[in-house]
Amino acid sequence: IVEFNPQDMANTAWAFATAGVAARTLFEAIASEAQRRIGEFNPQELANTVWAFATLDVAARMLFGAIASEAERRIADFNPQELANTVWA
């Protein structure tokens, strides 16, 4: 995961959520790395990541807090769909 860029992490989480596979160890690794690099994520990557965790009901309080803070800081950069998905999650 440390070699993934934000898009790789978001796409991986999204793919597993879409398939309905809650790979806990993978999601823990994504959460840890995403938190560390949250400022590198664009709004779509933030939205897709948090949507994936919420869809699979994977608890990641610290990640959700980091995404919420980043989304609040950059809210003007979010399009309506990204904002809706983030708020839903």
Side-chain angles (χ1 to χ4, degrees):
I1 296 297
V2 296
E3 296 174 3
F4 282 22
N5 64 38
Q7 183 177 0
D8 295 336
M9 287 186 266
N11 288 351
T12 300
W14 177 89
F16 274 77
T18 300
V21 178
R24 298 289 177 186
T25 303
L26 174 64
F27 275 79
E28 288 172 7
I30 290 172
S32 177
E33 188 65 17
Q35 274 177 241
R36 191 175 73 76
R37 296 171 46 199
I38 201 73
E40 298 175 28
F41 281 65
N42 68 35
Q44 182 179 4
E45 293 158 353
L46 292 169
N48 289 353
T49 300
V50 75
W51 174 89
F53 276 76
T55 295
L56 291 175
D57 199 25
V58 175
R61 255 182 213 189
M62 292 181 71
L63 175 62
F64 273 55
I67 289 174
S69 294
E70 191 68 16
E72 183 178 0
R73 188 177 72 76
R74 295 171 39 198
I75 197 163
D77 298 335
F78 280 69
N79 70 35
Q81 185 66 59
E82 293 160 350
L83 188 57
N85 287 355
T86 302
V87 170
W88 173 85

